[in-house]
Amino acid sequence: MPNFKLDDREIPFEPGETIIRAAQKAGIDIPHYCWHAGLSVAANCRMCLVEILPPPGRPAMLLDILAWDADKQEYLPQKKPKLVPSCQQAAADGMVVKSQTSEHVDVARAAVQELLLLNHPVDCPICDQAGECRLQDYWLEHQGTKKRMRDEPVHKPKAVVFGPTIVYDAERCILCTRCVRVSEELAKDPVLSVRERGNLGEIVVAPGRQLDHPYTLMTEYVCPVGALTSIDFRFKARVWFLRSTRTVCTGCATGCNSFSDFDPRNQKVYRYRPRENLAVNKFWMCDDGMLDHRRIHEGRVLEARIAGAAAAVPTALAKAAELLAKADPSSTAVVLSAEHSNEDNFALLSLAKAFGISDVYQSARPAGQGDDILRHPDKNPNTAGVAALGKASGLKTFVEFVEAIRGGKARTVIALGSATPTGGGAAALSDVKNLIAISTHEGPFVERASVVLPASSWAEADGTFVNAKGMSQESEKAVTPQGSSKPAFRLLAELAALAGKPFAWKKLAELRAAMAPAAPRSVPPESASLGAE
Amino acid sequence: MAETTIGFEPPALVLAGAIEHPLTDITSYRAVGGYAQLERARAMSPHDVTDQLIQSNLRGRGGAFFPTGRKASFIPTPDKVAKPIYLTVNADESEPGTFKDREIMRRVPHRLIEGCLIAAHAIQSKHVFIYIRGEYSTEYDVLAAALEEARGAGLLGDVELTIHRGAGAYICGEETALLESLEGKRGQPRSKPPFPAIQGLYASPTLINNVETITNVPKVLELGPQEYAQIGAPPDSTGTRVFCLSGNVVRPGAYETPHGITVRHLIEDIGGGIANGRTLKAVMVGGSSFPVMTPDELDTKLDADSLGERGLFIGSGVITAIDDQACIVQFALRVAQFYMHESCGKCTPCRVGTRWLVQILRAVEDGSASENDLEVLLDVCDRIIGKCLCVLGDSAAMPVASCVTKFRDEFRAHLEHGGCPFGEDSSLAHLFAPVDQHAQVTA
């Protein structure tokens, strides 16, 4: 691989790669606002300017300037190097680039920083971007001086509602056009543009339109300042109180890599953010996925129930064990769930095996809208994982499950999951004599179950999900189990033990080792993630 | 509108035959040898035509003074690219003080068209666009009529020539912003590279030349490159210039002279000196985008090298005389306001910096500034120059910085006087200034 020198480090690069991207991959953040690895180059913020030394034997590109001569007490003509934007300049083998070590670059960055803040309202205390704002970070790193302009800053429209998800503040905007490019290039809907020119410029939505494509939250996500805020997250939390874990979006079968940002004090997830994985979601997530964090806290089943009445989890487990122990294996079935992780589904398969239950079915959330960007019509995160795990057990469909109920072949059922697929005949569940539902959310299973065991959601447990491309991805636990819930695989282990046939594995690692032969190879979360934008 | 005074010192090339009366119809143009060079050029190989341009050392008259032949040689030949090749003529003449392309289009539209067709042959282009400033309506009419004549006479052959009218933005005179505008997009410059020769109009190889440059092309062929290269101030500043003389001179006008005459000769002899018996204070040379010249530099020759030695530029051939009745702070403010108004807003230093320049200059003018503000002013200029996406930011900062450094005493006088010592007496006091949109938005 060819190399270039950035300050005193050798940086490898792919041919054609820009300086800033190669540096980013090597873990060096060249200061920037308008550049984003997933978008076209705009080169408009001028923050990423670097000095490139001329090749040996070639003259440097020099500019004539006036510099203050302290001895002569006047400005004298001098020369300084012409700086280049590292977001646009392709790296070349042997190139020598000065970034932190160039005094000219220092001045240029301080200049851009000062100019960007010149008309900025500096309303950080009430700005949602505070704490993760490049204007703040770079002021500290590259400016650190007081404002030198005494005049009133330019005033522009504030709190402009762009659509159902986004609010815009033109005074905070630095016109980097990342949001414009996200709409054009990612969402393929050029609904945003810049109106007016010069210092009067502002981002506007096309006349007669709203910012309402399926990727609007990506405009807020790429906004390097507080100009675009998400109605979902606005004024909800201060980001410095939030912690992040590496998760996988469970909103559909694409399996976008995400961060779950949660407040450890109240164990609440406040938002998702995309986590870079070029093989899955590149840098992005859709609005459905971004807002799917709400399901962690909404519509949840947080207590156990017996015949519809609240019960303690141990009591419900004992009741379920009793039903299981009494059941005739030939009229007993288990229902796997594409909503749940491999671990949960494997635990249920283990239970089936231990108790001689041979009928294995599956449930899933209904299909929905897809596109050729990220959204998959299969709204389940683990359809492929369930298919792989259940293959040896002759996994059958939900339609076949409904037929089995009607044929009296599924009198006792242990079901994982909360939803049933479209046209799945949820009503048939009423005909199951003993329905043990291990569910995260209210829904057809919980409504009709004899015993409900509250399962923790994807955000409350480590889990593995296999996306539509067959990639097995780990999602990490963000918050502690909500209410009385426990991870489904734990509930199943306790149930098996209570019913007299304990599993061989006790810990998650042991479960995963036992599952390994049947499950697709696990792909760990992208370790070189750069999704800290 | 009063007719512009036209004059020349031999040899007239661009305006040849059109000094007394415009040569707008094809018959009178043919009578002075018009379109003969097109016929000759088409009998030559494209490479040979480009070669003649290289040998003549004809350079761009739009401001950058880049060798025209060399630029044409950057265009790949049609066998190397699977895309159309475009020739685009920049007739978006908007640099303050510049009015030469206007006279060329009014007086010798056919010479421009002939130049286009020869240049198109040189780069094997079948598509020519002339991007004309929107405000140039008479010029558009004259040029469009000439084009119809040329088309009727079968001179275009298989070349399509289109005249496109701009919508009034200064920035569209910048070549890549011009291309964006021509493509129907927002007029904002592109970051280079790639250069237009490789990826220009519709991402295809594009040669962009100024009107005056292209109008020189038939003359290069007519005289032959060797003879052309002897005119003016060889080796670097060959041929003539249509200088745009304006300001406080007795006879402002468009004057074609060889490169290398002195500024003094142009102002005092050709222009009749400073009007109303006043004395010269400063000269805007090249355009408003460049540092100003002081009277002690008047004997500088108008060629790129002589000007370059003094940190000055020949630009688009502007010479605007400013007399001692004009307040230089008002001049700098007026220039800065122009660039603030015309900044496209794409890149940070120009978008924000040009407005800051205006704010500080206004404070100097109204007496609320301090010595420290002058330092800030120069620092802001330094923080703009060389850091922008295109040269518009530099164009604002360079003249302002030169005014402060070359007329520091007059700036200080404003500070000491608590405002403008000229006040209402300055000749610039009542000149049109652009509406301050920022003030409107604030209110």
Side-chain angles (χ1 to χ4, degrees), chain B residues 45 57 67 302 307 345 358 436 442:
Chain B
S45 77
N57 205 9
L302 282 163
L307 289 165
V358 168
D436 187 352
T442 307

Side-chain angles (χ1 to χ4, degrees), chain A residues 47-307:
Chain A
M47 192 66 186
C48 74
L49 293 176
V50 292
E51 181 180 348
I52 297 179
L53 299 188
R58 297 268 293 279
M61 284 262 289
L62 293 173
L63 285 174
D64 295 305
I65 53 145
L66 293 162
W68 177 249
D69 188 310
D71 296 335
K72 295 185 178 160
Q73 286 290 300
E74 64 176 320
Y75 281 81
L76 296 175
Q78 296 205 354
K79 292 193 180 293
K80 66 178 176 183
K82 168 96 178 136
L83 305 177
V84 298
S86 60
C87 66
Q88 192 186 26
Q89 178 65 52
D93 202 15
M95 188 182 251
V96 181
V97 181
K98 291 174 84 178
S99 176
Q100 292 178 10
T101 50
S102 162
E103 55 177 317
H104 302 289
V105 170
D106 257 3
V107 172
R109 286 180 186 160
V112 170
Q113 188 52 35
E114 178 178 37
L115 292 168
L116 285 178
L117 280 175
L118 208 63
N119 291 294
H120 190 279
V122 199
D123 54 348
C124 306
I126 55 156
C127 178
D128 287 287
Q129 192 79 13
E132 54 183 8
C133 177
R134 281 169 187 262
L135 285 171
Q136 292 180 324
D137 297 348
Y138 293 154
W139 179 86
L140 202 63
E141 287 172 32
H142 302 290
Q143 187 186 354
T145 54
K146 286 185 181 171
K147 189 162 172 168
R148 293 194 289 175
M149 185 184 82
R150 296 171 304 179
D151 306 68
E152 183 71 10
V154 181
H155 287 297
K156 293 184 186 177
K158 298 180 82 72
V160 183
V161 176
F162 270 10
T165 55
I166 299 291
V167 173
Y168 174 65
D169 184 325
E171 291 188 343
R172 292 178 186 162
C173 179
I174 59 163
L175 292 166
C176 71
T177 68
R178 274 181 172 190
C179 56
V180 175
R181 285 174 283 147
V182 156
S183 288
E184 267 179 36
E185 297 165 20
L186 169 68
K188 316 275 187 251
D189 180 12
V191 64
L192 296 182
S193 60
V194 183
R195 79 174 270 281
E196 261 297 347
R197 65 181 187 200
N199 223 340
L200 297 172
E202 64 182 277
I203 305 292
V204 286
V205 182
R209 278 289 313 272
Q210 283 199 315
L211 177 60
D212 57 2
H213 55 65
Y215 296 87
T216 60
L217 289 168
M218 288 301 98
T219 64
E220 185 277 335
Y221 166 63
V222 296
C223 182
V225 299
L228 296 177
T229 47
S230 128
I231 289 173
D232 179 57
F233 183 70
R234 218 167 132 78
F235 308 133
K236 295 281 196 320
R238 304 269 57 185
V239 298
W240 48 86
F241 291 123
L242 302 183
R243 299 292 177 269
S244 305
T245 50
R246 294 177 296 183
T247 47
V248 172
C249 176
T250 52
C252 82
T254 302
C256 291
N257 291 208
S258 56
F259 286 109
S260 289
D261 292 348
F262 64 99
D263 190 329
R265 298 170 304 175
N266 61 5
Q267 293 295 317
K268 188 170 177 323
V269 176
Y270 281 89
R271 65 175 180 186
Y272 285 167
R273 279 179 299 129
R275 184 160 56 90
E276 178 182 327
N277 186 334
L278 296 180
V280 182
N281 52 308
K282 297 191 173 71
F283 311 90
W284 315 117
M285 284 173 68
C286 71
D287 285 0
D288 292 345
M290 287 289 282
L291 296 174
D292 203 44
H293 70 86
R294 293 168 171 174
R295 282 206 298 139
I296 297 167
H297 303 290
E298 289 172 5
R300 287 292 301 276
V301 174
L302 296 176
E303 301 298 332
R305 289 173 205 167
I306 298 171

